[in-house]
Amino acid sequence: MPTYVVLLRYTSQGMSTIKDSPKRLDAAKAAVKAAGGEFKAYYLTLGRFDEVAIIEAPDDATFTKLMIAVATQGNVQTETLRAFTEAEYRAIIAGLP
């Protein structure tokens, strides 16, 4: 399954309801699982981003639907990086002309 690194920043709304954020995280984990994916890791972070999540999803369309559902709640803004495993990286590089 494709892997995605999700960088999240709290919005003003998200900060004003920060005590509810563990419930929102649990709901996100359940949504990923229901969509056939796996929530691999979650980190609260310092610096430019407030949270980082590592998520696997069956495909880009499924992942995009999940992130749209998260974004429409208004608590976080996201930036996503599509991540390739070392094996995928090696195959990509091996396929170069």
Side-chain angles (χ1 to χ4, degrees), residues 18-97:
I18 195 72
K19 288 186 177 183
D20 294 332
S21 63
K23 292 177 196 168
R24 293 192 293 260
L25 176 58
D26 292 342
K29 286 181 174 184
V32 167
K33 185 174 183 177
E38 185 176 350
F39 208 108
K40 302 294 278 183
Y42 165 84
Y43 303 95
L44 180 67
T45 57
L46 301 174
R48 185 171 162 202
F49 295 96
D50 300 312
E51 303 171 304
V52 175
I54 312 297
I55 298 170
E56 290 183 350
D59 53 58
D60 291 343
T62 300
F63 177 79
T64 301
K65 288 177 193 175
L66 289 164
M67 288 301 98
I68 290 171
V70 167
T72 59
Q73 294 176 18
N75 297 300
V76 292
Q77 293 179 330
T78 66
E79 185 173 329
T80 300
L81 307 170
R82 169 61 167 91
F84 295 90
T85 65
E86 182 179 346
E88 291 169 325
Y89 150 77
R90 289 182 182 279
I92 290 166
I93 299 303
L96 292 174

